[in-house]
Amino acid sequence: MPNATALLDDPILVEDNLPSIGQILPFFQLVNAALEDVSLDAFSGQRKILHFFPGIDTPTSANSVRILDSMVATLPNTVVLHISADLPFTTARFCATENLSTGIHLSTLRGRDMLKNYGVLMMSSKLAGLPARVLMVADENNRVLHVELVKELTNEPDYEAAMAVLQP
């Protein structure tokens, strides 16, 4: 049975293979702000927060990016990867406007299979094809420590729960 989220209480089916706690993150290759292909290997040896969201031009997504960037700035050896279908130019403009420089924005411009492989692809509604709002945390060895599929797209994830697994 697929997972589900919702948009203003309208149910949205989501791919049903979210990684489980303890599982190793699957390989991915996405596009960075310089339009270069970037894979999971580029973040080898670092703890990772993967922040999936439909698009930066929504208040909830924009606020999540701001909050996660400020939280990660204080965590050693930790990178936040903001992953959306936005073009790299859109996220670069947002970051410049907001004066954000901590997070790394990755686009599914190429590598859309990652959304399915990570179980975050919305499969129904007008938003089908976009990533659901998911917060995932992995250690230096890509072992999953935390996964949250937000049940309502207009809600933000539980940042404290995600950060708690990164504390010593």
Side-chain angles (χ1 to χ4, degrees):
M1 173 113 192
N3 289 316
T5 189
L7 179 59
L8 303 174
D9 295 324
D10 186 21
I12 300 172
L13 295 179
V14 178
E15 199 52 58
D16 66 352
N17 56 336
L18 277 168
S20 302
I21 305 299
Q23 200 173 359
I24 300 298
L25 290 174
F27 174 83
F28 71 74
Q29 187 164 311
L30 299 172
V31 178
N32 69 12
L35 296 175
E36 300 165 330
D37 292 336
V38 176
S39 74
L40 178 62
D41 295 340
F43 310 102
S44 182
Q46 294 179 289
R47 301 183 308 174
K48 296 151 209 68
I49 299 172
L50 288 81
H51 173 223
F52 298 90
F53 58 95
I56 197 70
D57 287 329
T58 65
T60 306
S61 296
N63 200 48
S64 290
V65 167
R66 288 183 204 103
I67 288 171
L68 286 167
D69 273 25
S70 68
M71 290 178 132
V72 171
T74 63
L75 294 175
N77 196 35
T78 304
V79 62
V80 62
L81 306 175
H82 300 291
I83 301 166
S84 71
D86 291 308
L87 290 173
F89 314 112
T90 305
T91 53
R93 186 172 47 250
F94 173 82
C95 291
T97 301
E98 297 286 329
N99 198 27
L100 300 175
S101 60
T102 305
I104 297 170
H105 291 265
L106 298 173
S107 173
T108 59
L109 174 67
R110 293 186 297 273
R112 294 180 61 84
D113 56 332
M114 187 249 201
L115 300 178
K116 186 171 179 138
N117 295 342
Y118 274 67
V120 302
L121 179 68
M122 289 191 279
M123 302 180 332
S124 66
S125 91
K126 293 178 182 178
L127 298 177
L130 295 175
R133 190 173 314 288
V134 173
L135 200 54
M136 205 175 288
V137 179
D139 68 11
E140 297 89 338
N141 300 308
N142 299 329
R143 186 169 310 280
V144 177
L145 304 173
H146 173 83
V147 177
E148 178 191 6
L149 167 63
V150 176
K151 295 301 176 192
E152 167 59 51
L153 286 176
T154 59
N155 292 340
E156 294 181 34
D158 183 349
Y159 305 112
E160 286 72 30
M163 295 304 136
V165 300
L166 293 172
Q167 300 307 318

